[in-house]
Amino acid sequence: MFKNSPASYGLIAIILHWLMALTIFGLFGLGLYMVELTYYDSWYKGSLDLHKSIGLTLAAVFLFRILWRSFSTQPKPLGTNKTMNQIAHTAHIIMYIILAVIVVAGYLISTADGRAIEVFTLFNVPAINFTFDGQADIAGEVHYYAACTLIGFAVLHALGALKHHFIDKDKTLIRMIKPINAKN
């Protein structure tokens, strides 16, 4: 039930998937809101600190998810079209790469001034002793466009899951909602 099987995702993979999905969409919304604030808005610093803290927490969960995926059984694709299965697999890898780019770019934005990032006032993630001209601006552009691209991929991913459920009528979506037995 907790671990993946050849027929289904386990509870840990399912929780990681949905936790990350909700967090990514929440961070995207918060990020869009933040860029509209001015320095003098009362929520300017609070939203920025929250975005950074949640973003770094997401990065830790993302690393755990990659490790979990690396050491877990992966359920077999339900579709018989090998090309579509390969496209779906490639899209997952691309989403992981884009998320890594977003995290690194966010870190570079936040540490461009040489200061550490405070995470929920619990601990600090230190700045690296390396900067480049225009770091915050360049990293900001990369962060924004990579986030928009990730949201686009996530929407396509969701549409693909809905296609599996309503058109193909297979259990691709169901097995990412709840663990299922091989005999179901």
Short mmCIF file of all heavy atoms in Angstrom, two decimals, residues 11-72:
data_model
loop_
_atom_site.label_atom_id
_atom_site.label_comp_id
_atom_site.label_asym_id
_atom_site.label_seq_id
_atom_site.Cartn_x
_atom_site.Cartn_y
_atom_site.Cartn_z
N LEU A 11 1.06 4.72 -1.78
CA LEU A 11 0.58 5.90 -1.07
C LEU A 11 1.65 7.00 -0.99
O LEU A 11 1.32 8.18 -1.14
CB LEU A 11 0.13 5.49 0.34
CG LEU A 11 -0.84 6.40 1.05
CD1 LEU A 11 -2.05 6.72 0.19
CD2 LEU A 11 -1.26 5.80 2.36
N ILE A 12 2.90 6.63 -0.81
CA ILE A 12 3.95 7.65 -0.72
C ILE A 12 4.11 8.40 -2.04
O ILE A 12 4.15 9.63 -2.06
CB ILE A 12 5.28 7.02 -0.25
CG1 ILE A 12 5.13 6.54 1.20
CG2 ILE A 12 6.45 8.01 -0.38
CD1 ILE A 12 6.29 5.77 1.75
N ALA A 13 4.16 7.68 -3.15
CA ALA A 13 4.28 8.33 -4.47
C ALA A 13 3.06 9.20 -4.75
O ALA A 13 3.20 10.30 -5.31
CB ALA A 13 4.46 7.28 -5.56
N ILE A 14 1.88 8.73 -4.39
CA ILE A 14 0.66 9.49 -4.62
C ILE A 14 0.67 10.78 -3.81
O ILE A 14 0.39 11.87 -4.34
CB ILE A 14 -0.58 8.63 -4.29
CG1 ILE A 14 -0.72 7.49 -5.30
CG2 ILE A 14 -1.85 9.48 -4.25
CD1 ILE A 14 -1.74 6.43 -4.93
N ILE A 15 1.02 10.69 -2.54
CA ILE A 15 1.06 11.89 -1.69
C ILE A 15 2.10 12.88 -2.21
O ILE A 15 1.84 14.08 -2.30
CB ILE A 15 1.32 11.51 -0.22
CG1 ILE A 15 0.08 10.82 0.36
CG2 ILE A 15 1.69 12.73 0.61
CD1 ILE A 15 0.30 10.18 1.71
N LEU A 16 3.27 12.38 -2.57
CA LEU A 16 4.31 13.27 -3.11
C LEU A 16 3.83 13.96 -4.39
O LEU A 16 4.05 15.16 -4.58
CB LEU A 16 5.60 12.49 -3.38
CG LEU A 16 6.37 12.02 -2.16
CD1 LEU A 16 7.48 11.06 -2.56
CD2 LEU A 16 6.92 13.20 -1.37
N HIS A 17 3.19 13.22 -5.27
CA HIS A 17 2.70 13.78 -6.53
C HIS A 17 1.73 14.93 -6.28
O HIS A 17 1.88 16.03 -6.81
CB HIS A 17 2.01 12.67 -7.35
CG HIS A 17 1.35 13.16 -8.59
ND1 HIS A 17 0.04 13.58 -8.62
CD2 HIS A 17 1.81 13.30 -9.86
CE1 HIS A 17 -0.28 13.95 -9.85
NE2 HIS A 17 0.78 13.79 -10.62
N TRP A 18 0.69 14.67 -5.46
CA TRP A 18 -0.33 15.69 -5.25
C TRP A 18 0.16 16.84 -4.38
O TRP A 18 -0.23 18.00 -4.61
CB TRP A 18 -1.59 15.05 -4.68
CG TRP A 18 -2.25 14.18 -5.71
CD1 TRP A 18 -2.27 12.81 -5.73
CD2 TRP A 18 -2.92 14.62 -6.89
NE1 TRP A 18 -2.93 12.39 -6.87
CE2 TRP A 18 -3.34 13.47 -7.59
CE3 TRP A 18 -3.21 15.86 -7.43
CZ2 TRP A 18 -4.03 13.53 -8.80
CZ3 TRP A 18 -3.90 15.93 -8.64
CH2 TRP A 18 -4.30 14.78 -9.30
N LEU A 19 1.01 16.56 -3.41
CA LEU A 19 1.58 17.62 -2.59
C LEU A 19 2.40 18.57 -3.46
O LEU A 19 2.27 19.80 -3.35
CB LEU A 19 2.46 17.01 -1.49
CG LEU A 19 3.21 17.99 -0.59
CD1 LEU A 19 2.24 18.81 0.24
CD2 LEU A 19 4.18 17.25 0.31
N MET A 20 3.21 17.99 -4.33
CA MET A 20 4.02 18.84 -5.21
C MET A 20 3.15 19.60 -6.21
O MET A 20 3.39 20.78 -6.46
CB MET A 20 5.08 18.01 -5.93
CG MET A 20 6.21 17.58 -5.02
SD MET A 20 7.51 16.69 -5.88
CE MET A 20 8.09 17.93 -7.01
N ALA A 21 2.14 18.95 -6.76
CA ALA A 21 1.27 19.62 -7.74
C ALA A 21 0.57 20.82 -7.10
O ALA A 21 0.60 21.93 -7.66
CB ALA A 21 0.24 18.63 -8.28
N LEU A 22 -0.01 20.62 -5.94
CA LEU A 22 -0.71 21.72 -5.27
C LEU A 22 0.27 22.83 -4.88
O LEU A 22 -0.04 24.03 -5.01
CB LEU A 22 -1.45 21.20 -4.04
CG LEU A 22 -2.64 20.28 -4.33
CD1 LEU A 22 -3.17 19.68 -3.03
CD2 LEU A 22 -3.73 21.03 -5.06
N THR A 23 1.43 22.45 -4.41
CA THR A 23 2.44 23.44 -4.01
C THR A 23 2.93 24.24 -5.21
O THR A 23 3.06 25.47 -5.13
CB THR A 23 3.62 22.76 -3.30
OG1 THR A 23 3.12 22.01 -2.18
CG2 THR A 23 4.64 23.77 -2.81
N ILE A 24 3.18 23.57 -6.32
CA ILE A 24 3.65 24.27 -7.53
C ILE A 24 2.62 25.27 -8.01
O ILE A 24 2.95 26.43 -8.31
CB ILE A 24 4.04 23.25 -8.62
CG1 ILE A 24 5.34 22.55 -8.23
CG2 ILE A 24 4.16 23.93 -9.98
CD1 ILE A 24 5.65 21.30 -9.05
N PHE A 25 1.36 24.86 -8.08
CA PHE A 25 0.32 25.80 -8.53
C PHE A 25 0.15 26.94 -7.52
O PHE A 25 -0.05 28.09 -7.91
CB PHE A 25 -1.00 25.07 -8.79
CG PHE A 25 -1.08 24.47 -10.16
CD1 PHE A 25 -0.77 23.14 -10.36
CD2 PHE A 25 -1.43 25.24 -11.26
CE1 PHE A 25 -0.82 22.58 -11.62
CE2 PHE A 25 -1.49 24.69 -12.53
CZ PHE A 25 -1.18 23.36 -12.72
N GLY A 26 0.24 26.63 -6.23
CA GLY A 26 0.16 27.68 -5.21
C GLY A 26 1.31 28.67 -5.30
O GLY A 26 1.10 29.89 -5.22
N LEU A 27 2.52 28.15 -5.48
CA LEU A 27 3.69 29.04 -5.63
C LEU A 27 3.58 29.89 -6.89
O LEU A 27 3.99 31.06 -6.88
CB LEU A 27 4.98 28.23 -5.66
CG LEU A 27 5.48 27.74 -4.31
CD1 LEU A 27 6.64 26.76 -4.49
CD2 LEU A 27 5.92 28.90 -3.44
N PHE A 28 3.06 29.31 -7.96
CA PHE A 28 2.90 30.07 -9.20
C PHE A 28 1.92 31.23 -8.97
O PHE A 28 2.21 32.37 -9.34
CB PHE A 28 2.41 29.16 -10.33
CG PHE A 28 2.35 29.83 -11.66
CD1 PHE A 28 3.52 30.14 -12.35
CD2 PHE A 28 1.14 30.16 -12.24
CE1 PHE A 28 3.47 30.76 -13.59
CE2 PHE A 28 1.08 30.78 -13.47
CZ PHE A 28 2.25 31.09 -14.15
N GLY A 29 0.80 30.93 -8.33
CA GLY A 29 -0.17 31.99 -8.04
C GLY A 29 0.41 33.06 -7.12
O GLY A 29 0.24 34.26 -7.35
N LEU A 30 1.11 32.63 -6.08
CA LEU A 30 1.74 33.58 -5.16
C LEU A 30 2.79 34.41 -5.89
O LEU A 30 2.88 35.62 -5.68
CB LEU A 30 2.36 32.84 -3.97
CG LEU A 30 3.06 33.70 -2.91
CD1 LEU A 30 2.11 34.74 -2.32
CD2 LEU A 30 3.64 32.81 -1.82
N GLY A 31 3.56 33.77 -6.76
CA GLY A 31 4.57 34.50 -7.52
C GLY A 31 3.96 35.56 -8.41
O GLY A 31 4.46 36.69 -8.49
N LEU A 32 2.85 35.23 -9.09
CA LEU A 32 2.18 36.22 -9.94
C LEU A 32 1.64 37.37 -9.11
O LEU A 32 1.70 38.53 -9.52
CB LEU A 32 1.05 35.56 -10.73
CG LEU A 32 1.46 34.59 -11.83
CD1 LEU A 32 0.23 33.97 -12.48
CD2 LEU A 32 2.33 35.28 -12.88
N TYR A 33 1.13 37.05 -7.93
CA TYR A 33 0.63 38.08 -7.03
C TYR A 33 1.76 38.98 -6.54
O TYR A 33 1.63 40.21 -6.53
CB TYR A 33 -0.09 37.42 -5.85
CG TYR A 33 -0.46 38.36 -4.74
CD1 TYR A 33 -1.51 39.26 -4.90
CD2 TYR A 33 0.23 38.35 -3.54
CE1 TYR A 33 -1.85 40.13 -3.87
CE2 TYR A 33 -0.11 39.21 -2.50
CZ TYR A 33 -1.15 40.10 -2.68
OH TYR A 33 -1.48 40.96 -1.67
N MET A 34 2.87 38.36 -6.16
CA MET A 34 4.00 39.11 -5.60
C MET A 34 4.57 40.15 -6.55
O MET A 34 4.92 41.24 -6.14
CB MET A 34 5.15 38.15 -5.24
CG MET A 34 4.98 37.40 -3.99
SD MET A 34 6.32 36.20 -3.69
CE MET A 34 7.50 36.48 -4.94
N VAL A 35 4.68 39.79 -7.83
CA VAL A 35 5.33 40.71 -8.77
C VAL A 35 4.49 41.95 -9.02
O VAL A 35 5.00 42.95 -9.54
CB VAL A 35 5.69 40.03 -10.11
CG1 VAL A 35 6.71 38.92 -9.89
CG2 VAL A 35 4.47 39.51 -10.84
N GLU A 36 3.23 41.92 -8.61
CA GLU A 36 2.38 43.10 -8.76
C GLU A 36 2.48 44.03 -7.55
O GLU A 36 2.01 45.16 -7.61
CB GLU A 36 0.91 42.67 -8.96
CG GLU A 36 0.69 41.88 -10.25
CD GLU A 36 1.07 42.67 -11.49
OE1 GLU A 36 0.77 43.89 -11.57
OE2 GLU A 36 1.70 42.06 -12.39
N LEU A 37 3.08 43.56 -6.46
CA LEU A 37 3.20 44.37 -5.26
C LEU A 37 4.36 45.35 -5.40
O LEU A 37 5.34 45.07 -6.07
CB LEU A 37 3.45 43.48 -4.04
CG LEU A 37 2.34 42.50 -3.66
CD1 LEU A 37 2.80 41.60 -2.52
CD2 LEU A 37 1.07 43.24 -3.29
N THR A 38 4.23 46.48 -4.73
CA THR A 38 5.34 47.41 -4.67
C THR A 38 6.06 47.22 -3.34
O THR A 38 5.54 46.58 -2.42
CB THR A 38 4.86 48.88 -4.77
OG1 THR A 38 4.10 49.19 -3.60
CG2 THR A 38 4.01 49.10 -6.02
N TYR A 39 7.22 47.77 -3.24
CA TYR A 39 8.03 47.66 -2.03
C TYR A 39 7.26 48.15 -0.81
O TYR A 39 7.48 47.68 0.31
CB TYR A 39 9.32 48.46 -2.21
CG TYR A 39 10.24 48.38 -1.04
CD1 TYR A 39 11.03 47.25 -0.82
CD2 TYR A 39 10.33 49.41 -0.12
CE1 TYR A 39 11.88 47.16 0.27
CE2 TYR A 39 11.17 49.35 0.97
CZ TYR A 39 11.94 48.21 1.16
OH TYR A 39 12.78 48.12 2.25
N TYR A 40 6.33 49.07 -0.99
CA TYR A 40 5.63 49.69 0.13
C TYR A 40 4.33 48.96 0.50
O TYR A 40 3.69 49.32 1.48
CB TYR A 40 5.33 51.16 -0.18
CG TYR A 40 6.62 51.93 -0.38
CD1 TYR A 40 7.04 52.30 -1.66
CD2 TYR A 40 7.43 52.25 0.70
CE1 TYR A 40 8.24 52.97 -1.84
CE2 TYR A 40 8.63 52.92 0.53
CZ TYR A 40 9.03 53.28 -0.75
OH TYR A 40 10.21 53.94 -0.92
N ASP A 41 3.95 47.96 -0.24
CA ASP A 41 2.77 47.17 0.13
C ASP A 41 3.06 46.40 1.41
O ASP A 41 4.17 45.87 1.60
CB ASP A 41 2.39 46.19 -0.98
CG ASP A 41 1.70 46.87 -2.15
OD1 ASP A 41 0.75 47.63 -1.91
OD2 ASP A 41 2.11 46.62 -3.31
N SER A 42 2.05 46.30 2.27
CA SER A 42 2.25 45.65 3.57
C SER A 42 2.59 44.16 3.43
O SER A 42 3.26 43.60 4.28
CB SER A 42 1.00 45.81 4.44
OG SER A 42 -0.11 45.22 3.80
N TRP A 43 2.17 43.51 2.38
CA TRP A 43 2.38 42.08 2.22
C TRP A 43 3.61 41.78 1.36
O TRP A 43 3.91 40.63 1.08
CB TRP A 43 1.10 41.49 1.63
CG TRP A 43 1.04 40.00 1.46
CD1 TRP A 43 0.59 39.37 0.34
CD2 TRP A 43 1.42 38.96 2.35
NE1 TRP A 43 0.67 38.01 0.50
CE2 TRP A 43 1.17 37.73 1.74
CE3 TRP A 43 1.95 38.94 3.64
CZ2 TRP A 43 1.43 36.50 2.35
CZ3 TRP A 43 2.21 37.72 4.24
CH2 TRP A 43 1.95 36.53 3.59
N TYR A 44 4.34 42.82 0.93
CA TYR A 44 5.49 42.63 0.04
C TYR A 44 6.52 41.68 0.65
O TYR A 44 6.86 40.66 0.07
CB TYR A 44 6.14 43.97 -0.30
CG TYR A 44 7.38 43.83 -1.14
CD1 TYR A 44 7.28 43.61 -2.51
CD2 TYR A 44 8.65 43.90 -0.58
CE1 TYR A 44 8.41 43.47 -3.30
CE2 TYR A 44 9.79 43.75 -1.36
CZ TYR A 44 9.66 43.55 -2.71
OH TYR A 44 10.78 43.39 -3.49
N LYS A 45 7.05 41.99 1.82
CA LYS A 45 8.09 41.16 2.41
C LYS A 45 7.55 39.81 2.86
O LYS A 45 8.17 38.77 2.65
CB LYS A 45 8.76 41.87 3.60
CG LYS A 45 9.85 41.02 4.24
CD LYS A 45 10.82 41.82 5.03
CE LYS A 45 11.84 41.02 5.78
NZ LYS A 45 12.21 39.72 5.32
N GLY A 46 6.36 39.80 3.43
CA GLY A 46 5.76 38.55 3.90
C GLY A 46 5.53 37.56 2.77
O GLY A 46 5.82 36.37 2.91
N SER A 47 5.03 38.03 1.64
CA SER A 47 4.78 37.13 0.51
C SER A 47 6.09 36.62 -0.07
O SER A 47 6.20 35.45 -0.45
CB SER A 47 3.94 37.81 -0.57
OG SER A 47 4.64 38.90 -1.14
N LEU A 48 7.08 37.45 -0.11
CA LEU A 48 8.40 37.06 -0.62
C LEU A 48 9.04 36.00 0.28
O LEU A 48 9.53 34.97 -0.21
CB LEU A 48 9.30 38.29 -0.72
CG LEU A 48 10.60 38.19 -1.47
CD1 LEU A 48 10.38 37.75 -2.90
CD2 LEU A 48 11.33 39.52 -1.43
N ASP A 49 9.00 36.23 1.58
CA ASP A 49 9.55 35.25 2.53
C ASP A 49 8.80 33.93 2.46
O ASP A 49 9.41 32.85 2.50
CB ASP A 49 9.49 35.80 3.96
CG ASP A 49 10.46 36.95 4.19
OD1 ASP A 49 11.38 37.13 3.36
OD2 ASP A 49 10.29 37.68 5.19
N LEU A 50 7.48 34.00 2.36
CA LEU A 50 6.67 32.79 2.27
C LEU A 50 6.99 32.02 0.98
O LEU A 50 7.16 30.80 1.00
CB LEU A 50 5.18 33.15 2.32
CG LEU A 50 4.20 31.99 2.31
CD1 LEU A 50 4.39 31.11 3.55
CD2 LEU A 50 2.77 32.52 2.25
N HIS A 51 7.10 32.73 -0.14
CA HIS A 51 7.41 32.11 -1.42
C HIS A 51 8.77 31.39 -1.37
O HIS A 51 8.90 30.25 -1.82
CB HIS A 51 7.41 33.18 -2.53
CG HIS A 51 7.54 32.64 -3.91
ND1 HIS A 51 6.45 32.21 -4.64
CD2 HIS A 51 8.61 32.47 -4.71
CE1 HIS A 51 6.86 31.79 -5.83
NE2 HIS A 51 8.18 31.94 -5.91
N LYS A 52 9.76 32.04 -0.79
CA LYS A 52 11.09 31.44 -0.66
C LYS A 52 11.07 30.21 0.24
O LYS A 52 11.66 29.17 -0.09
CB LYS A 52 12.10 32.46 -0.10
CG LYS A 52 12.43 33.59 -1.02
CD LYS A 52 13.36 34.56 -0.29
CE LYS A 52 13.55 35.85 -1.03
NZ LYS A 52 14.46 36.75 -0.30
N SER A 53 10.40 30.33 1.38
CA SER A 53 10.35 29.22 2.33
C SER A 53 9.63 28.01 1.75
O SER A 53 10.10 26.87 1.85
CB SER A 53 9.67 29.66 3.63
OG SER A 53 10.47 30.60 4.30
N ILE A 54 8.48 28.25 1.13
CA ILE A 54 7.74 27.15 0.52
C ILE A 54 8.54 26.57 -0.65
O ILE A 54 8.59 25.35 -0.83
CB ILE A 54 6.34 27.59 0.08
CG1 ILE A 54 5.49 27.95 1.30
CG2 ILE A 54 5.65 26.50 -0.74
CD1 ILE A 54 4.15 28.58 0.97
N GLY A 55 9.18 27.45 -1.42
CA GLY A 55 9.98 26.99 -2.56
C GLY A 55 11.13 26.08 -2.14
O GLY A 55 11.38 25.04 -2.77
N LEU A 56 11.82 26.44 -1.07
CA LEU A 56 12.92 25.59 -0.60
C LEU A 56 12.41 24.30 0.03
O LEU A 56 13.04 23.25 -0.10
CB LEU A 56 13.81 26.37 0.37
CG LEU A 56 14.72 27.39 -0.32
CD1 LEU A 56 15.40 28.28 0.70
CD2 LEU A 56 15.75 26.69 -1.20
N THR A 57 11.25 24.36 0.66
CA THR A 57 10.64 23.14 1.19
C THR A 57 10.25 22.22 0.03
O THR A 57 10.48 21.01 0.07
CB THR A 57 9.42 23.48 2.06
OG1 THR A 57 9.83 24.38 3.10
CG2 THR A 57 8.80 22.23 2.66
N LEU A 58 9.68 22.81 -1.02
CA LEU A 58 9.34 22.04 -2.22
C LEU A 58 10.60 21.41 -2.82
O LEU A 58 10.57 20.26 -3.26
CB LEU A 58 8.66 22.93 -3.26
CG LEU A 58 8.35 22.28 -4.60
CD1 LEU A 58 7.32 21.16 -4.44
CD2 LEU A 58 7.86 23.32 -5.60
N ALA A 59 11.70 22.14 -2.82
CA ALA A 59 12.96 21.59 -3.35
C ALA A 59 13.37 20.34 -2.56
O ALA A 59 13.81 19.35 -3.16
CB ALA A 59 14.07 22.65 -3.30
N ALA A 60 13.22 20.37 -1.25
CA ALA A 60 13.57 19.21 -0.43
C ALA A 60 12.63 18.04 -0.73
O ALA A 60 13.07 16.88 -0.86
CB ALA A 60 13.51 19.57 1.05
N VAL A 61 11.34 18.31 -0.86
CA VAL A 61 10.37 17.27 -1.19
C VAL A 61 10.66 16.71 -2.58
O VAL A 61 10.58 15.50 -2.81
CB VAL A 61 8.92 17.81 -1.10
CG1 VAL A 61 7.91 16.81 -1.65
CG2 VAL A 61 8.58 18.18 0.34
N PHE A 62 11.04 17.58 -3.50
CA PHE A 62 11.40 17.18 -4.86
C PHE A 62 12.60 16.23 -4.85
O PHE A 62 12.58 15.19 -5.52
CB PHE A 62 11.69 18.44 -5.69
CG PHE A 62 12.15 18.20 -7.10
CD1 PHE A 62 11.47 17.34 -7.95
CD2 PHE A 62 13.27 18.85 -7.57
CE1 PHE A 62 11.89 17.14 -9.25
CE2 PHE A 62 13.70 18.66 -8.87
CZ PHE A 62 13.02 17.80 -9.72
N LEU A 63 13.60 16.54 -4.07
CA LEU A 63 14.76 15.64 -3.96
C LEU A 63 14.35 14.28 -3.39
O LEU A 63 14.78 13.24 -3.89
CB LEU A 63 15.85 16.26 -3.09
CG LEU A 63 16.64 17.39 -3.73
CD1 LEU A 63 17.58 18.02 -2.71
CD2 LEU A 63 17.43 16.89 -4.93
N PHE A 64 13.51 14.31 -2.37
CA PHE A 64 13.01 13.05 -1.80
C PHE A 64 12.22 12.27 -2.85
O PHE A 64 12.35 11.05 -2.96
CB PHE A 64 12.16 13.31 -0.56
CG PHE A 64 11.59 12.05 0.03
CD1 PHE A 64 12.40 11.18 0.74
CD2 PHE A 64 10.25 11.73 -0.14
CE1 PHE A 64 11.89 10.01 1.27
CE2 PHE A 64 9.73 10.56 0.40
CZ PHE A 64 10.55 9.70 1.10
N ARG A 65 11.40 12.98 -3.63
CA ARG A 65 10.61 12.31 -4.67
C ARG A 65 11.50 11.65 -5.71
O ARG A 65 11.22 10.54 -6.16
CB ARG A 65 9.65 13.30 -5.33
CG ARG A 65 8.76 12.64 -6.36
CD ARG A 65 7.75 13.58 -6.93
NE ARG A 65 6.92 12.89 -7.91
CZ ARG A 65 5.99 13.48 -8.60
NH1 ARG A 65 5.73 14.76 -8.41
NH2 ARG A 65 5.29 12.80 -9.48
N ILE A 66 12.54 12.33 -6.12
CA ILE A 66 13.47 11.75 -7.10
C ILE A 66 14.12 10.49 -6.52
O ILE A 66 14.23 9.47 -7.20
CB ILE A 66 14.52 12.78 -7.55
CG1 ILE A 66 13.84 13.85 -8.42
CG2 ILE A 66 15.65 12.12 -8.31
CD1 ILE A 66 14.72 15.01 -8.77
N LEU A 67 14.56 10.58 -5.27
CA LEU A 67 15.15 9.40 -4.62
C LEU A 67 14.13 8.27 -4.51
O LEU A 67 14.45 7.11 -4.80
CB LEU A 67 15.70 9.76 -3.24
CG LEU A 67 16.95 10.63 -3.24
CD1 LEU A 67 17.26 11.09 -1.83
CD2 LEU A 67 18.12 9.87 -3.83
N TRP A 68 12.92 8.60 -4.09
CA TRP A 68 11.88 7.59 -3.95
C TRP A 68 11.61 6.92 -5.30
O TRP A 68 11.51 5.71 -5.40
CB TRP A 68 10.60 8.21 -3.41
CG TRP A 68 9.52 7.20 -3.18
CD1 TRP A 68 8.44 6.95 -3.98
CD2 TRP A 68 9.42 6.28 -2.10
NE1 TRP A 68 7.69 5.93 -3.46
CE2 TRP A 68 8.27 5.50 -2.30
CE3 TRP A 68 10.21 6.04 -0.96
CZ2 TRP A 68 7.88 4.50 -1.42
CZ3 TRP A 68 9.82 5.04 -0.10
CH2 TRP A 68 8.66 4.28 -0.33
N ARG A 69 11.52 7.73 -6.33
CA ARG A 69 11.27 7.20 -7.68
C ARG A 69 12.43 6.32 -8.15
O ARG A 69 12.22 5.30 -8.79
CB ARG A 69 11.03 8.36 -8.65
CG ARG A 69 10.71 7.93 -10.05
CD ARG A 69 10.48 9.14 -10.96
NE ARG A 69 10.44 8.74 -12.33
CZ ARG A 69 9.34 8.52 -13.02
NH1 ARG A 69 8.17 8.68 -12.45
NH2 ARG A 69 9.40 8.15 -14.28
N SER A 70 13.65 6.73 -7.83
CA SER A 70 14.84 5.99 -8.26
C SER A 70 14.92 4.60 -7.63
O SER A 70 15.41 3.67 -8.25
CB SER A 70 16.11 6.75 -7.91
OG SER A 70 16.13 7.98 -8.59
N PHE A 71 14.44 4.48 -6.40
CA PHE A 71 14.57 3.23 -5.68
C PHE A 71 13.27 2.44 -5.59
O PHE A 71 13.22 1.42 -4.91
CB PHE A 71 15.15 3.47 -4.28
CG PHE A 71 16.55 3.99 -4.32
CD1 PHE A 71 16.82 5.31 -3.99
CD2 PHE A 71 17.60 3.18 -4.72
CE1 PHE A 71 18.13 5.81 -4.03
CE2 PHE A 71 18.90 3.67 -4.77
CZ PHE A 71 19.16 4.98 -4.43
N SER A 72 12.23 2.91 -6.25
CA SER A 72 10.93 2.24 -6.20
C SER A 72 10.61 1.56 -7.52
O SER A 72 11.07 1.98 -8.58
CB SER A 72 9.81 3.25 -5.91
OG SER A 72 9.97 3.83 -4.66
#
